Amino acid sequence: LDVETRSGLAAGAKDLISDTVDVARETVLSRSGRAILAAQVGQGALLYSIASWGPLYLERLGPTQGEVANAAAAGVSDLPPGLSAVAVTASAAAASLILPQIAQAAVGVGVGTAADGLSTRIGTRTTRRALQVVSGVGPALVLVALTRPGVATVGAEGVEQLLLPPAVLFGAAQTLSALSLGAVSVSHLDVASPPKAGSVYALGNVAAAVSGSAMVSLFGMLLDGAAQTSSSSASAAVAAASADEFALPFRIVALVSAVGSIWYGLTVESDVEIGSAETAGRTNRKDR
């Protein structure tokens, strides 16, 4: 590349970085910007954790190797010879989260139209707040119910305490989270000027990704710490974790999800705050 081209690319990159930093600063300084980030942090922690650790938890709620052996010895196993009930349970647990993804997508298609209809009746701000609180607190309550004392009892006794099968409840949590598509997922269009709305949306997604990745790692470390005493290695400890050891990690996820959505529900607005003259002026004064 010639000198002129390199100079042009460098200037363009510098402007892009400068604009990104400005939008990030305005987002953090604005009330609604912080609300969006908080809600996205909660959503990321919730969805990443369910997708990553939900199948393993459902597997742990199924029969253990000892139970399978006892059933086979007593001649009461319903499975054909050579087919492991534990393997079947693990496969069913993983597959059980596929249908909720489809249901989540279906809800997402309709929630936009529903949100528009609600906005004309009760206002945009109230609609956004209500949908986000339900999408974050609802799944949090499901996770608490799934991990309450007694549910993780080995065998069917604990699972029978639930009104619905655990896989269905996990699916309900994921489906409820899709209501955020009518709330935080579109708030950037309300609170940011058109030139900056896309950047605010991207910052929210980054916050969700960072939160989700961190929560998945924390989840694994908590399982490791709970099961380490009975195993010689960290990977084996997590693999051997029993269902009741998932309670603390899932409740932390529930807390983060609920707090993020409630924060959003209490503070988000529907007026332009990012990219407005007032916000830009405040940012410039801070720079001085």
Side-chain angles (χ1 to χ4, degrees):
L1 298 178
D2 56 38
V3 175
E4 184 177 353
T5 301
R6 288 199 300 270
S7 299
L9 291 174
K14 183 178 179 180
D15 290 342
L16 178 61
I17 294 173
S18 177
D19 290 344
T20 301
V21 171
D22 287 343
V23 173
R25 184 185 295 114
E26 288 187 54
T27 301
V28 172
L29 288 176
S30 71
R31 176 183 171 96
S32 294
R34 292 190 296 271
I36 290 173
L37 294 178
Q40 291 284 28
V41 165
Q43 289 286 111
L46 173 74
L47 296 179
Y48 276 61
S49 297
I50 289 179
S52 299
W53 294 106
L56 183 59
Y57 180 64
L58 293 176
E59 178 190 344
R60 292 297 181 266
L61 291 176
T64 63
Q65 291 282 7
E67 289 177 321
V68 173
N70 292 338
V76 296
S77 176
D78 296 328
L79 294 174
L83 186 60
S84 168
V86 175
V88 171
T89 301
S91 298
S96 66
L97 296 181
I98 297 176
L99 185 58
Q101 296 284 352
I102 299 175
Q104 188 180 28
V107 170
V109 170
V111 73
T113 302
D116 289 341
L118 282 173
S119 295
T120 60
R121 296 183 180 183
I122 62 176
T124 299
R125 184 181 71 171
T126 303
T127 298
R128 301 276 188 258
R129 291 183 173 190
L131 288 176
Q132 187 60 43
V133 169
V134 174
S135 77
V137 176
L141 294 176
V142 170
L143 292 183
V144 171
L146 274 167
T147 56
R148 73 177 190 268
V151 171
T153 302
V154 175
E157 297 177 1
V159 174
E160 287 175 354
Q161 296 183 23
L162 299 172
L163 296 177
L164 296 170
V168 174
L169 290 176
F170 266 123
Q174 289 181 283
T175 303
L176 281 173
S177 72
L179 294 177
S180 66
L181 294 174
V184 68
S185 295
V186 291
S187 276
H188 60 284
L189 300 175
D190 300 328
V191 305
S193 61
K196 297 188 176 182
S199 297
V200 174
Y201 178 74
L203 287 171
N205 285 341
V206 169
V210 171
S211 169
S213 300
M215 186 58 67
V216 168
S217 299
L218 176 61
F219 204 119
M221 288 189 290
L222 291 173
L223 285 183
D224 175 25
Q228 187 86 47
T229 55
S230 59
S231 181
S232 58
S233 68
S235 59
V238 172
S242 61
D244 58 351
E245 290 163 349
F246 284 72
L248 176 60
F250 269 133
R251 289 178 184 179
I252 292 175
V253 171
L255 178 64
V256 174
S257 175
V259 169
S261 289
I262 291 173
W263 185 338
Y264 176 98
L266 292 175
T267 61
V268 78
E269 300 292 343
S270 57
D271 301 321
V272 175
E273 298 180 15
I274 302 169
S276 65
E278 179 183 352
T279 306
R282 185 168 62 247
T283 301
N284 291 335
R285 288 194 298 271
K286 184 176 180 64
D287 288 343
R288 296 192 191 101

